[in-house]
Amino acid sequence: MKRKTKQLLLGIIIILVSIVVIYFNVKVREANFKTLWPAIILIVGMILYILYFTLKRKKNRLILLFLATFLAISTVPLFVLLLTGFDNIKYLWPGFGFALGMSILSIYFYGKKKKYVLTISVLIISLSLLVWILFALKSEYGLIIGVSLLIIGAAFLTRGLIKEPEEIAVQISETVGESSRENPPEADQ
């Protein structure tokens, strides 16, 4: 079995197991269409992924990837809405914009890597995340989001301040090189 096929199957198995785990942890009593319809959308997305990666014909394949990515990522807010109640749509609707941006980004990675496609996807993803954060800050989770953003910002700041081992080695070699030029070894008489 090819490496890509193994990874594809592993991804599908993990997603199916996660659906089962979510299903039993939420303690849904009846398995019916009302409680499982996002799983059907996710399965359709997975089938489209399989079609994309198994089709030999390259032409017109990217639409499958776009649809598969959009459907798969859109199921996340749908599952959250199903589990928490559809009155939370006021906080979760930017998740669908995020799914759109990620779908366009997948076209960039697997397509011809045109710069404008990357720009559009990054703008849509950034805008949807910004809107989500602004809406979420007004919710009861606003404090948690604020503290989380502070921690993430501090982590990036510290990572920027911490020097990589390669940088330290370069600085040491430059320092040793400068000191040897300033103090040339004296010749023995």
Side-chain angles (χ1 to χ4, degrees):
M1 193 181 293
K2 292 183 181 181
R3 184 175 174 213
K4 283 186 178 182
T5 309
K6 286 180 183 178
Q7 290 175 346
L8 184 65
L9 289 175
L10 181 63
I12 292 170
I13 290 170
I14 290 172
I15 289 171
L16 291 175
V17 167
S18 69
I19 290 171
V20 171
V21 168
I22 290 170
Y23 179 77
F24 285 111
N25 280 323
V26 175
K27 306 215 179 354
V28 177
R29 302 286 181 207
E30 297 177 16
N32 56 29
F33 183 75
K34 183 180 176 184
T35 57
L36 292 177
W37 64 268
I40 295 169
I41 295 173
L42 181 62
I43 291 169
V44 170
M46 294 298 105
I47 290 169
L48 291 175
Y49 271 128
I50 292 169
L51 283 174
Y52 174 78
F53 286 109
T54 57
L55 282 177
K56 300 285 184 201
R57 192 179 76 215
K58 299 280 185 193
K59 193 174 183 182
N60 299 331
R61 247 179 25 153
L62 287 177
I63 189 70
L64 289 175
L65 180 65
F66 176 84
L67 288 172
T69 305
F70 184 77
L71 290 175
I73 295 175
S74 292
T75 58
V76 173
L78 289 174
F79 270 120
V80 172
L81 288 171
L82 184 69
L83 300 176
T84 63
F86 278 90
D87 55 326
N88 289 326
I89 189 72
K90 58 187 172 190
Y91 304 119
L92 293 173
W93 68 265
F96 300 106
F98 180 78
L100 176 66
M102 292 300 289
S103 301
I104 296 171
L105 188 63
S106 68
I107 289 175
Y108 171 77
F109 282 124
Y110 288 97
K112 295 183 180 182
K113 297 191 189 260
K114 295 184 179 178
K115 196 91 165 170
Y116 72 90
V117 174
L118 178 63
T119 304
I120 291 170
S121 67
V122 168
L123 284 173
I124 292 173
I125 291 168
S126 301
L127 184 63
S128 65
L129 288 176
L130 179 67
V131 169
W132 177 76
I133 289 171
L134 291 176
F135 273 97
L137 287 175
K138 294 179 183 178
S139 74
E140 64 259 17
Y141 305 111
L143 181 62
I144 295 170
I145 293 169
V147 170
S148 301
L149 289 174
L150 180 67
I151 292 170
I152 291 169
F156 277 109
L157 181 65
T158 12
R159 183 175 175 167
L161 295 175
I162 296 174
K163 296 184 179 182
E164 298 292 325
E166 296 85 22
E167 292 177 24
I168 295 171
V170 168
Q171 283 182 345
I172 290 173
S173 66
E174 287 174 356
T175 306
V176 169
E178 286 175 7
S179 66
S180 65
R181 277 185 249 133
E182 291 172 1
N183 302 324
E186 295 179 15
D188 290 331
Q189 296 178 348

